[in-house]
Amino acid sequence: MEALRIGMLGFGTVGRGVADLLLNHQELLAQRAGVPLRLVRIATRTPERDRGLPLGNVELTGNVNRVLDAQDLDVVVELIGGIIPARDLVGRALESGKHVITANKALIAEFGHEIFALANSRGVQLGFEAAVAGAVPVIKALRESLSGNRIDLVYGILNGTCNYILTEMREKGLPFAEVLAAAQAKGYAEADPSFDVDGIDAAHKLAILTAIAFGARLDFSHIDKEGIRHVSEVDIAWAREMGYRLKLLGMARMQEGMLEVAVRPVMVPEGSMVAAVEGVSNAVFVHGDFAGTTMYHGRGAGERPTASAVVADLMDLARDLKAGAKNRVPPLSVPVHHLRTMPIQTSTQRRGSFYIRLAVADQPGVLADITAILAKQAISIDAIHQKGRSPVEAVPLVMVTHETTESRLFMAMEEIELLDAVREPPRAIRIESALA
Amino acid sequence: MEALRIGMLGFGTVGRGVADLLLNHQELLAQRAGVPLRLVRIATRTPERDRGLPLGNVELTGNVNRVLDAQDLDVVVELIGGIIPARDLVGRALESGKHVITANKALIAEFGHEIFALANSRGVQLGFEAAVAGAVPVIKALRESLSGNRIDLVYGILNGTCNYILTEMREKGLPFAEVLAAAQAKGYAEADPSFDVDGIDAAHKLAILTAIAFGARLDFSHIDKEGIRHVSEVDIAWAREMGYRLKLLGMARMQEGMLEVAVRPVMVPEGSMVAAVEGVSNAVFVHGDFAGTTMYHGRGAGERPTASAVVADLMDLARDLKAGAKNRVPPLSVPVHHLRTMPIQTSTQRRGSFYIRLAVADQPGVLADITAILAKQAISIDAIHQKGRSPVEAVPLVMVTHETTESRLFMAMEEIELLDAVREPPRAIRIESALA
């Protein structure tokens, strides 16, 4: 092989970073890979736009077919994002016998099996390190570095926007809406933030991590998703008071052959490593039976960090092709036919302790009614706090439960919500007191 | 290839972990590698000793030649440690055309080039992920995941024993000697602790990281090594007071084409990720021009974590051989002939700010003498603290300097030591206020 010839689909933020890296580190990359990485052609809807980057001999085209049908390319880097038209374009690239590198977490999480099967049938490679946690090389860590371990737990801070918002809320004592607006103004959150703040982006990444960690068939629909819209500054203040910090965690845990997999706000111990992950950072923690807990931390998004991950996949591919290797490592660590459909824990099986926040009018008998409902569900209370008194206006009432099941908790919360004195839907947040 | 056939040299703690993993995860490993990993034979000085591990068909021998000269082995795992006889044994294994996996940091740091050259000439692979930071996959991260980056800084907590001692000193307010004795009793420190507490073990690991990060020729002798024997509980208390934590850091930094590389106690910001690394954990931080800072954290030693890293190398080898790959990634990321001898910063070039601790008798004019010496070296003082007063006994005097060069600092310290009122050799600790 004389060079790894690269075509790119999409020339937005990440595309610019990849082009910048490939063009400015040519000698370094060639030394390390043993073969040059040559960016040949970029297809973009706006080939005429000036990106402030000298492109040398790189061709710009407005026609994706000039990449997909090309005979002079070894690999297609897909940086369009989303499902349509990326799914079709990736499919066509693989059909034509080209390797594919993508940063598209939605595509892998929702249509991974279709794409892996196609890549497998064509004998080409599919890289997606950039799809999870940006520059943080957790896909490779799971698939290669921890390949001697049976994994029973993987969790992490997978969405930098949410972590930034929660960090700001805690540090400045501000409500969610205000911090979100500021994050949008700074470009840390999208105009439509739902993909981030409702936990969907984190769930895409968690689906991918879960599949690799457990050899599980990807099933995005099985992941419980709860975002941070309902997190209040009251919750954050209480977390601090109780020695916890509030984080949006993606977590997949295998217990007795059943998988618990969810994205949700969680209280984690103040002194833990996961609590120390702040701002726009991402971090992934993996517990294996031999390695113990290892942790991977860094920038989870952005032009240059994501480019670093895309180019890591390109370097792997170049080194593989140079060495004559064919599909050295399957995309999900084991061959697709070894992937298993994992039984998912139901809410009657999922156990944990919870923080519960209520807004109640302080009328006679309210506390008796609430504790009776909890008692009926066999939920015992570890601590209870009430601040302020008002028989008319709502005051916050905060409780911490001992371990119970989610289903019992949900039933109790539904019944509590119907009480006259309860003025807002109750909110429950899982407490994870044993995380590293 | 029907199976990866493994011979092992050494059957101590790590050897037991590797055998345990290989024998108990046979099916998992075969699924992931696409080929079984078969432990065939172990050479040990004590083949008769019961290790409480059912070994099935594995042969135990007291004769290393039964591994080195064997025709039925693909790879030799060297777990003896130290230079003699490991250097010869690894050499013989490579000469005989076998791949080698080793956890031997001293061997790689001090004789890496000899060994890499031999492996290269025989067309076999050499793996040493387990030599740095145990289960933490930082060799692979540097060599593969960050291969698109120009690295300018790598630092980390590379010795769990020292980090444990410093953590205990801080948490319990105890002196070094007492904590060391307790660590020895617990098996966290060796009977002869000098390898750990004098920074040699950390320097071995730093030498390896530096070579990979910067494409530098390994030169162990160029690393400044300072351990933690002289760290006093006074220093730790002062660090806390000033918003820092004291850590033994290995650090290699490239500035203007010059390399600064040292193992030494450093004050790091209290709220930084590196300060949060506690107890026996290891962590490595890497700054690349595209990835930014990524961090890798976990157990740096022990039977099972180290076994996880050894088996990761075995899995890589099995996948490479299965895929028909030959030397996919050079041991130090670039081929040996691309490695450069890096100019090392001298102490006149190394700049930083420092904490200085003196023990002085509080006689008239002492402070004037000390500050005059510092002024002569153009060292300006950021803060000065003195606790207690006694014209006879020594009381601690603590100063923080603005940025200066090491050579100026050393000259000042030598002169200060000669003052009558100065009762102990002054101690200086570098302050790194900008670490992640």
Side-chain angles (χ1 to χ4, degrees), chain A residues 25 140 144 289 320 328, chain B residues 25 140 144 289 320 328:
Chain A
H25 281 349
K140 183 177 278 273
E144 304 183 29
D289 59 351
D320 281 355
R328 219 177 60 85
Chain B
H25 282 349
K140 185 179 276 275
E144 303 183 30
D289 59 350
D320 282 354
R328 220 178 59 85

Side-chain angles (χ1 to χ4, degrees), chain A residues 56-321:
Chain A
N57 294 327
V58 179
E59 292 172 43
L60 281 174
T61 172
N63 180 356
V64 291
N65 299 329
R66 295 264 306 122
V67 169
L68 296 174
D69 302 336
Q71 300 297 311
D72 62 348
L73 297 176
D74 303 301
V75 54
V76 172
V77 177
E78 183 271 304
L79 300 172
I80 296 170
I83 306 298
I84 299 167
R87 181 182 175 193
D88 283 338
L89 300 181
V90 165
R92 284 184 54 202
L94 294 171
E95 291 274 9
S96 76
K98 298 185 186 71
H99 307 283
V100 169
I101 310 293
T102 177
N104 193 329
K105 58 214 100 180
L107 184 65
I108 299 296
E110 298 188 30
F111 298 96
H113 288 295
E114 166 190 313
I115 290 163
F116 299 148
L118 185 56
N120 195 43
S121 76
R122 301 289 151 159
V124 293
Q125 289 185 214
L126 190 86
F128 53 94
E129 181 67 76
V132 180
V136 185
V138 63
I139 300 291
K140 183 177 278 273
L142 272 175
R143 203 158 58 184
E144 304 183 29
S145 301
L146 298 171
S147 58
N149 290 262
R150 195 175 293 283
I151 309 291
D152 59 7
L153 175 64
V154 51
Y155 61 97
I157 291 173
L158 300 172
N159 185 276
T161 304
C162 287
N163 204 51
Y164 172 81
I165 290 172
L166 292 174
T167 302
E168 289 281 298
M169 285 177 73
R170 194 189 78 252
E171 287 182 351
K172 302 188 174 160
L174 295 173
F176 172 78
E178 197 168 320
V179 174
L180 173 62
Q184 286 169 320
K186 279 189 185 171
Y188 289 174
E190 305 282 336
D192 175 1
S194 57
F195 206 70
D196 290 318
V197 303
D198 294 333
I200 300 162
D201 174 74
H204 280 144
K205 297 167 186 168
L206 182 61
I208 298 171
L209 293 176
T210 304
I212 301 175
F214 302 107
R217 287 187 63 82
L218 273 160
D219 194 338
F220 181 64
S221 65
H222 279 157
I223 300 182
D224 279 347
K225 302 160 199 79
E226 184 191 334
I228 61 168
R229 280 186 202 273
H230 296 299
V231 171
S232 130
E233 62 271 35
V234 174
D235 304 328
I236 288 177
W238 271 110
R240 188 200 309 257
E241 182 122 352
M242 300 186 299
Y244 292 100
R245 221 171 256 194
L246 230 164
K247 293 289 179 190
L248 184 74
L249 281 197
M251 183 181 291
R253 177 158 33 197
M254 183 70 80
Q255 276 172 319
E256 294 161 18
M258 306 281 283
L259 194 60
E260 175 183 4
V261 52
V263 170
R264 61 189 162 201
V266 170
M267 293 199 184
V268 301
E270 182 72 40
S272 62
M273 289 295 290
V274 66
V277 178
E278 292 281 61
V280 296
S281 296
N282 281 22
V284 180
F285 297 72
V286 186
H287 185 265
D289 59 351
F290 277 79
T293 299
T294 52
M295 184 263 224
Y296 310 86
H297 176 270
R299 293 295 300 267
E303 175 175 326
R304 292 168 75 91
T306 311
S308 172
V310 168
V311 173
D313 276 345
L314 286 169
M315 289 290 284
D316 259 1
L317 179 63
R319 283 166 161 171
D320 281 355
L321 297 179

Side-chain angles (χ1 to χ4, degrees), chain B residues 228-255:
Chain B
I228 61 169
R229 278 187 204 272
H230 296 299
V231 171
S232 129
E233 62 271 35
V234 174
D235 303 327
I236 289 177
W238 271 110
R240 189 199 309 258
E241 182 123 351
M242 301 186 299
Y244 292 99
R245 222 171 255 195
L246 230 163
K247 295 288 178 188
L248 184 73
L249 280 197
M251 181 181 292
R253 177 159 30 200
M254 184 70 81
Q255 275 172 319

